[in-house]
Amino acid sequence: MATHTMIAHSSSSALAASSPLKETLPLFTTRSLTFPRKSSFSRFRLRFFAEKLSQLDSSNGCASLQDSGEHLTEEHDTKEESSTLSITVVGASGDLAKKKIFPALFALFYEGCLPQDFSVFGYARTKLTHEELRVMISRTLTCRIDQRENCVDKMDQFLKRCFYHSGQYNSEDDFAELNTKLKEKEEGKLSNRLYYLSIPPNIFVDVVRCASLRASSVNGWTRVIVEKPFGRDSESSGELTRCLKQYLTEEQIFRIDHYLGKELVENLSVLRFSNLVFEPLWSRNYIRNVQLIFSEDFGTEGRGGYFDQYGIIRDIMQNHLLQILALFAMETPVSLDAEDIRSEKVKVLRSMKPLLLQDMIVGQYKGHSKGGKAYPGYTDDPTVPKNSLTPTFAAAAMFINNARWDGVPFLMKAGKALHTRGAEIRVQFRHVPGNLYKKNFATDLDKATNELVIRVQPDEGIYLRINNKVPGLGMRLDRSDLNLLYRSRYPREIPDAYERLLLDAIEGERRLFIRSDELDAAWDLFTPALKELEQKKIVPELYPYGSRGPVGAHYLASKYNVRWGDLEDA
């Protein structure tokens, strides 16, 4: 139990907000509907009823409740009328806040997904006025949603709700002043407060302490979104969690991994659990290997000082790719409730073997000239030490010790300054026993292997590779794709991951956020190999900027009789 909490327990409404069993959905407007939260999809049920009762317009998967004329009781009506939402972006002058968080909040406002009474505060050490913050934010806001005619008006309305407060991250007095400004906007109404920590992890605890003691809600809920990285290893992550829980309960902490908000990652469980054609195949009996591939076609570009503290394994593999793996491999949850899903993910992580040094390869990009243009190496970045051994590329083979996945290699690959940008999941199925058409593929049976590809980004899509006869008098086989390209099937622009995750945090939906025991299990898998890499000062294999990465990655795959699937798309 936390010794301090940002939820006040002096009122019944606060008690309801702190209880995961009795928590209600966010209070949208004076006439919106409020139902008890009983599962992670309760807000979608709310939208269903709202549409039936009020014929509400739904856009981008988010029902606009701001103009609903129906309500259930006068009691609910009173609660709606007296509630406010205050969103404080801590680290408001940073790149993440400017490029992702403020644009995501504007998109939610544009779609009618935010409550009628809300305000957005920026908090940072930089001295800015309200107007200077609005000018800074306006440079990154876009009218991407259908290019509607009223976009400029909507932007003006949103910017009028944005305010700024300058202060130190470890000053209780500065947060007390922020609290005063928040109260002015809340006007004595039931206040719900959301803090987004867009700051380095070494000051998380200072901010949480100050906000908890001086700027938490006294009659509603208070939640904190924490950006990765969540520590550097098991020990530092555990210490960070312990310190945060001195001031917050687990239910108040929303550890964000923006990859979990990607549309195709969200679709993983739908693809598997709602399609009979896939569920029986989802096991060691039919799947030969699973590949999780992440690549960027640019280097550190001046951010090397930050990246050098963590490296590609901590930055991408331990969180993004491992989270996708857990969602992919988990057993069917009891329900779609957040805790049921997160518990199944934890079971997968606890069933995995810790990563061994012999099952991984690390690399670092070097300078390269191509087409008359020179590309700098990692250590050419002036913010990176010249003798740095930090990996910018890593490949690893991991295994799950349970009945479903025993013996199936899960291969991860992530790197910077590669030949392309993308993220995808590749499922390679086993060879057909006694294949009648074996001779048509010569000795390369991999060319006859069915493969399911889920492209997370860019050009989101799902395709299944099958074998097919080429039309004609002869017997010539070809690999064809059954392709679901999202931009063709769903022409509307896909919402950014931060939009979905911010909306979930506002609604108290935790399904796509990482629980503390899940975080512990993830670090337990990677910490031994990370420590060994650093203690033995393993020299990464160099690879040219813009290449496919180190040759060692191909040897690692061949060790398990696997070929990287992205080579087929060359």
Side-chain angles (χ1 to χ4, degrees), residues 91-144:
S93 58
D95 279 350
L96 178 64
K98 290 186 287 188
K99 295 177 180 178
K100 290 293 185 181
I101 302 171
F102 287 118
L105 289 171
F106 171 63
L108 291 177
F109 170 72
Y110 204 126
E111 286 294 302
C113 295
L114 293 182
Q116 201 166 46
D117 192 354
F118 79 93
S119 59
V120 177
F121 269 81
Y123 185 100
R125 291 174 295 198
T126 307
K127 298 290 184 180
L128 293 174
T129 63
H130 298 323
E131 192 55 39
E132 287 172 334
L133 174 74
R134 291 164 185 163
V135 171
M136 181 186 75
I137 293 173
S138 67
R139 293 171 183 155
T140 60
L141 301 186
T142 60
C143 303
R144 67 161 180 79

Side-chain angles (χ1 to χ4, degrees), residues 518-530:
E518 186 179 348
L519 182 62
D520 293 342
W523 274 119
D524 287 345
L525 294 175
F526 279 86
T527 295
L530 285 168

Side-chain angles (χ1 to χ4, degrees), residues 23 26 28 37 43 47 223 503-509:
E23 183 174 349
F28 280 84
R37 175 175 299 279
R43 78 165 185 266
R47 290 168 189 161
R223 298 170 184 147
L503 181 61
D504 280 354
I506 292 168
E507 294 184 342
E509 170 55 69

Side-chain angles (χ1 to χ4, degrees), residues 36 177 252 256 295 330 371 402 431 465:
E177 293 176 8
Q252 291 175 275
I256 192 171
S295 62
M330 71 181 184
N402 64 19
H431 302 308
R465 286 190 162 163

Side-chain angles (χ1 to χ4, degrees), residues 123 165 170-179 210 214:
Y123 185 100
H165 181 69
N170 61 352
S171 170
E172 292 185 23
D173 291 340
D174 289 343
F175 274 87
E177 293 176 8
L178 172 66
N179 183 56
C210 295
R214 295 302 186 96

Side-chain angles (χ1 to χ4, degrees), residues 7 29 31 51 62 71 233 306 332 344 389 405 413 436 449 455 463-464 515:
I7 296 179
T29 178
R31 290 180 292 276
E51 288 172 355
C62 176
H71 60 273
D233 50 29
Y306 167 81
T332 308
E344 291 301 332
L389 299 179
W405 298 112
K413 183 169 67 170
L436 292 173
T449 299
R455 190 186 301 122
Y463 60 91
L464 178 64
R515 207 167 61 188

Side-chain angles (χ1 to χ4, degrees), residues 3 19 23 34 75 126-127 137 144 146 180 232 234 237 277 285 310 315 319 377 485 489 499 515 528 534 538:
T3 55
S19 171
E23 183 174 349
T34 302
E75 179 184 358
T126 307
K127 298 290 184 180
I137 293 173
R144 67 161 180 79
D146 288 351
T180 300
R232 298 188 77 255
S234 294
S237 174
V277 67
N285 297 325
Y310 297 98
D315 194 42
N319 41 72
L485 187 61
R489 179 68 178 85
E499 296 172 32
R515 207 167 61 188
E534 292 164 359
I538 302 296

Side-chain angles (χ1 to χ4, degrees), residues 478-491:
D478 183 32
R479 294 186 75 186
S480 303
D481 294 342
L482 302 178
N483 197 344
L484 167 60
L485 187 61
Y486 268 53
R487 69 166 178 259
S488 299
R489 179 68 178 85
Y490 309 107

